[in-house]
């Protein structure tokens, strides 16, 4: 009986869908716009990666991704993203845990979460200049340290290389980790700790046997998200590094702005495709882990 | 048992403050350094506050600021015109298209901006041909960039109200579809629309990748350019832009909290 009662009104409500042809007209502007400015650019990258300069299919662009300097750039990009993701994940998780132990709905937690929301978006040129003002060659901290007999750049200026980029990226990775990881930590119930204790478990056992395994997929997933975030970042590195192209996004800048080497006009597109593939793989793993997390901490 | 709980609470408090002090220093220090750096030349801040003199001394910077403000306003407008009616329409009349609309809207999240630029270059060759090389043409690309964030905000707004019942009530009273969207649904998702617009403004004011690689100007490109000639000024402008973004997004999060509490 109940089934009939719910089925009947649904059919009435569904009828307008069948007269959909004229209704489709209403979505034409949206789909036309997205086609021109999103779908076509994506296809340009994908098809261009396999197109020869004079037209026609070629694997030359993709094959030249194996060139030494491009492989090195991908390697450095991955190192930078992995390092900044790991540092960001560890410190972000610590900060998130510190927030969870604070009073729920308290001022501290509200202020820090709001600040993290802002700082996670904070990247690009302004972030680069913030660090130039801090530990640039005439930065506040550099001058102070040099005055007190410690030259941070005694062994060369590392700010414009991978260690410096990692440090700068950490500045937006930690807040992002807090935002992504906080919901998982909130899903941990105090009862689980009480249950562990009433069964005679120690704090160490609680973290390694109960909370650790529960949080592991969430932590790993968040780290992957941070990796993708750092891997796609361009503006910060572009503003900091003006000489050379250590990482892939800067290699693509080089391919876009410099005089095109004969026969390599589409190399930039091949590198772009490589980036998309790395990000897609990482994001797929992320969504798989996300599902695993939802089982216990959703 | 009670002793254990008290001891743990004390340990957690110590841990909490240790983490907050260490990380807080890391996050606040660059901001303090920016203040120190930008006040080394006492003329910097007065000049930044004096618009006529600023636009005379640094015409590129002034052009960048004007361009960014124009881009932010137009992108918000275009995003709303494109997204709000489509989202409402798909919910009401074409529920089967919802998944594909959602997929398209979230797609830019997995395409890095630097990759999008590579694909946009040929499209912008046509834009240049039809509309010229004005920096306001970046609005087209920016609308794509903000789609995921704007879509999520608007979709959440639409989920929190009963769109179908509202629309059916209005239709049975003789309202046209335009009236339904403009005067019935839109006022009900006002806070969602506002937060989508806020996010758009914040993102557009911080955008650098596409503008610089398509050879157009905006605030970030101007700051980057200025950094090569006047470091003090560029740090001052960075700090000002940062504080503006802080204010915008904090306002948004406070506003978002309040509307969430109201709907509860």
């Amino acid at each position: 009986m109940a089934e009939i009662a719910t089925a009947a009104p649904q059919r009435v409500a569904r009828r307008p869908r069948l007269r959909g042809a004229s209704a489709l007209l209403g979505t034409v502007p949206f789909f036309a716009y997205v086609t021109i400015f999103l779908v076509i650019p994506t296809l340009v990258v994908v098809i261009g990666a396999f197109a020869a300069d004079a037209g026609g299919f070629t694997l030359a662009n993709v094959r030249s991704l194996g060139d030494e300097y491009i492989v090195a750039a991908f390697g450095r990009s991955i190192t930078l993203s992995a390092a900044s993701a790991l540092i960001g994940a560890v410190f972000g998780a610590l900060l998130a845990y510190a927030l969870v132990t604070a009073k729920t709905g308290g001022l501290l937690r509200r202020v820090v979460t709001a600040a993290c929301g802002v700082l996670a978006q904070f990247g690009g040129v302004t972030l680069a200049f913030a660090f130039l003002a801090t530990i640039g060659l005439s930065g506040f901290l550099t001058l102070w340290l040099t005055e007190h007999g410690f030259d941070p750049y005694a062994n060369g200026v590392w700010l414009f290389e991978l260690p410096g980029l990692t440090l700068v990226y950490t500045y937006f990775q930690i807040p992002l980790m807090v935002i992504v990881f906080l919901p998982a930590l909130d899903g941990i119930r105090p009862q689980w700790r009480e249950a562990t204790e009433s069964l005679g478990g120690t704090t160490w056992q609680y973290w390694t046997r109960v909370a650790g395994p529960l949080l592991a997929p969430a932590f790993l997933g968040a780290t992957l998200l941070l990796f993708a975030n750092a891997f796609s970042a361009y503006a910060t590195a572009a503003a900091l590094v003006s000489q050379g192209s250590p990482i892939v996004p800067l290699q693509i800048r080089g391919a876009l702005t410099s005089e095109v080497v004969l026969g390599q006009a589409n190399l930039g597109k091949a590198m772009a495709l490589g980036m998309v593939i790395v990000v897609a793989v990482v994001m797929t793993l992320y969504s798989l882990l996300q599902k695993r997390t939802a089982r216990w901490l959703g | 048992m009670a002793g254990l709980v008290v001891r743990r609470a004390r340990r957690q408090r110590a841990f909490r403050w240790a983490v907050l002090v260490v990380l807080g220093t890391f996050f606040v220090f660059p901001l303090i350094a920016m203040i120190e750096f930008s006040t080394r030349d006492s003329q910097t801040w007065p000049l930044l506050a004096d618009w006529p003199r600023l636009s005379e001394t640094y015409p590129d910077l002034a052009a960048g600021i004007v361009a960014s403000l124009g881009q932010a306003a137009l992108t918000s407008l275009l995003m709303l015109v494109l997204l709000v009616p489509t989202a409402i329409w798909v919910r009401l009349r074409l529920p089967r298209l919802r998944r594909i609309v959602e997929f398209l809207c979230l797609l830019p999240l997995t395409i890095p901006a630097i990759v999008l630029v590579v694909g946009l270059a040929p499209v912008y060759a046509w834009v240049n041909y039809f509309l010229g090389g004005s920096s306001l043409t970046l609005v087209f690309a920016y609308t794509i960039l903000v789609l995921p964030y704007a879509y999520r905000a608007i979709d959440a707004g639409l989920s929190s109200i009963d769109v179908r019942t509202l629309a059916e009530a209005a239709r049975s009273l003789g309202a046209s579809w335009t009236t339904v969207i403009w005067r019935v649904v839109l006022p009900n998702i006002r806070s969602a629309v506002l937060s989508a617009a806020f996010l758009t403004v914040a993102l557009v004011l911080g955008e650098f990748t596409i503008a610089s690689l398509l050879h157009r100007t905006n605030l970030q490109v101007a700051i980057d350019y200025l950094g090569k000639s006047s470091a003090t000024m560029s740090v001052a402008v960075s700090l000002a832009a940062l504080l503006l973004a802080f204010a915008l997004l904090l306002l948004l999060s406070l506003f978002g909290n309040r509307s969430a509490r109201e709907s509860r």
Side-chain angles (χ1 to χ4, degrees):
Chain A
M1 277 307 280
E3 274 171 30
I4 297 170
T6 53
Q10 252 184 8
R11 198 176 304 139
V12 174
R14 209 180 278 157
R15 198 184 297 149
R17 278 191 218 170
L18 300 175
R19 302 188 266 115
S22 64
L24 273 177
L25 275 178
T27 59
V28 166
F30 174 80
F31 283 111
Y33 188 88
V34 171
T35 306
I36 296 175
F37 290 102
L38 181 62
V39 177
I40 291 182
T42 313
L43 291 179
V44 164
V45 170
V46 175
I47 296 172
F50 296 100
D53 285 3
F57 178 84
T58 175
L59 280 176
N61 302 315
V62 180
R63 213 173 291 136
S64 49
L65 284 185
D67 287 0
E68 204 177 321
Y69 74 103
I70 296 182
V71 171
F74 266 96
R76 276 189 295 262
S77 260
I78 289 173
T79 313
L80 166 65
S81 312
S84 75
L86 272 179
I87 297 171
V90 169
F91 285 104
L94 285 178
L95 183 55
Y97 180 68
L99 291 184
V100 168
T101 60
K103 204 165 28 153
T104 340
L107 184 68
L108 176 76
R109 189 174 161 160
R110 280 226 310 275
V111 169
V112 175
T113 340
C116 283
V118 177
L119 290 172
Q121 296 282 344
F122 172 40
V125 183
T126 39
L127 180 62
F129 279 108
F131 272 86
L132 282 178
T134 315
I135 50 166
L137 289 175
S138 57
F140 184 39
L141 188 62
T142 319
L143 293 185
W144 189 83
L145 284 175
T146 320
E147 249 170 53
H148 291 74
F150 175 78
D151 182 6
Y153 294 129
N155 301 317
V157 184
W158 45 265
L159 178 62
F160 309 110
E161 288 160 14
L162 278 202
L165 284 177
T166 312
L167 175 72
V168 179
Y169 277 24
T170 316
Y171 201 85
F172 57 75
Q173 296 279 57
I174 294 177
L176 183 63
M177 182 66 182
V178 173
I179 297 172
V180 183
F181 198 54
L182 204 52
L185 275 178
D186 275 331
I188 292 278
R189 305 218 190 106
Q191 288 90 323
W192 294 338
R193 182 156 208 169
E194 286 158 15
T196 316
E197 272 159 11
S198 65
L199 291 170
T202 59
T203 303
W204 171 252
Q205 278 168 331
Y206 168 70
W207 281 108
T208 50
R209 300 281 181 81
V210 182
L214 281 172
L215 287 171
F219 182 81
L220 214 61
T223 312
L224 286 175
L225 190 74
L226 262 57
F227 179 92
N229 187 41
F231 194 76
S232 328
Y234 164 81
T236 316
L240 266 183
V241 184
S242 50
Q243 283 174 345
S245 305
I247 57 175
V248 182
L250 298 183
Q251 286 283 351
I252 296 180
R253 166 176 75 176
L256 275 178
T257 52
S258 65
E259 287 292 311
V260 174
V261 184
L262 197 66
Q264 298 210 317
N266 283 328
L267 183 59
K269 286 167 192 155
M271 284 192 276
L273 184 66
M275 277 189 81
V276 172
I277 291 171
V278 172
V279 173
V281 168
V282 170
M283 293 305 280
T284 313
L285 285 174
Y286 166 71
S287 66
L288 286 178
L289 282 167
Q290 196 71 359
K291 273 189 203 128
R292 187 82 173 72
T293 311
R295 201 185 292 171
W296 280 97
L297 303 171
Chain B
M1 199 68 187
L4 183 76
V5 171
V6 169
R7 220 175 319 133
R8 181 184 306 145
R10 203 179 304 137
R11 225 172 30 221
Q12 281 182 342
R13 202 179 314 126
F15 167 79
R16 186 159 70 230
W17 286 109
V19 169
L20 281 173
V21 167
V22 171
L23 288 181
T25 314
F26 175 66
F27 281 105
V28 173
F29 201 85
L31 303 179
I32 296 173
M34 279 172 108
I35 297 176
E36 190 272 338
F37 196 95
S38 62
T39 45
R40 282 181 197 174
D41 182 351
S42 62
Q43 282 305 300
T44 306
W45 283 99
L47 179 59
L48 192 57
D50 185 353
W51 177 254
R53 212 151 60 84
L54 181 73
S55 54
E56 207 175 284
T57 326
Y58 300 107
D60 290 328
L61 177 65
I65 293 174
V66 172
S68 265
L69 292 178
Q71 287 160 0
L74 281 179
T75 309
S76 304
L77 195 69
L78 184 58
M79 177 274 294
L80 290 177
V81 167
L82 203 63
L83 207 51
V84 174
T86 310
I88 298 175
W89 191 248
V90 166
R91 236 164 218 274
L92 287 177
R93 302 288 304 274
L94 302 157
R96 262 179 288 178
L97 282 186
R98 221 180 116 188
R99 301 212 63 162
I100 182 164
V101 170
E102 185 175 5
F103 172 78
L104 283 173
C105 285
L106 298 185
L107 190 61
L109 281 184
T110 54
I111 303 179
I114 179 84
V115 173
L116 200 61
V117 169
V118 174
L120 274 172
V123 175
Y124 264 82
W126 285 99
V127 170
N128 283 344
Y129 180 76
F130 285 115
L131 298 169
S134 154
S135 50
L136 284 181
T137 50
L138 282 176
V139 165
F140 298 123
Y142 289 173
T143 306
I144 293 294
L145 277 192
V146 302
L147 266 190
Y149 307 97
Y151 175 80
R152 276 189 195 150
I154 289 169
D155 192 59
L158 284 175
S159 297
S160 68
I161 61 170
D162 190 349
V163 186
R164 183 166 292 276
T165 310
L166 281 176
E168 276 168 7
R171 289 287 286 170
S172 68
L173 291 169
S176 68
W177 279 113
T178 339
T179 316
V180 170
I181 290 176
W182 187 247
R183 297 190 53 192
V184 177
V185 179
L186 198 59
N188 275 300
I189 55 166
R190 208 182 307 138
S191 70
V193 167
L194 210 62
S195 70
F198 262 58
L199 280 174
T200 303
V201 171
L203 276 170
V204 170
L205 290 185
E207 211 287 330
F208 171 75
T209 311
I210 295 182
S212 90
L213 288 173
L214 290 178
H215 309 292
R216 283 158 168 83
T217 188
N218 69 9
L219 176 62
Q220 304 287 329
V221 173
I223 294 177
D224 185 43
Y225 184 72
L226 192 61
K228 295 183 171 75
S229 56
S230 163
T232 322
M233 193 62 194
S234 67
V235 169
V237 183
S238 293
L239 186 58
L242 187 63
L243 292 178
L244 183 69
F246 261 48
L248 262 178
L249 289 168
L250 274 182
L251 212 63
L252 172 70
S253 75
L254 292 178
F255 185 83
N257 280 348
R258 206 184 53 209
S259 64
R261 216 170 297 141
E262 272 164 14
S263 67
R264 221 176 285 149

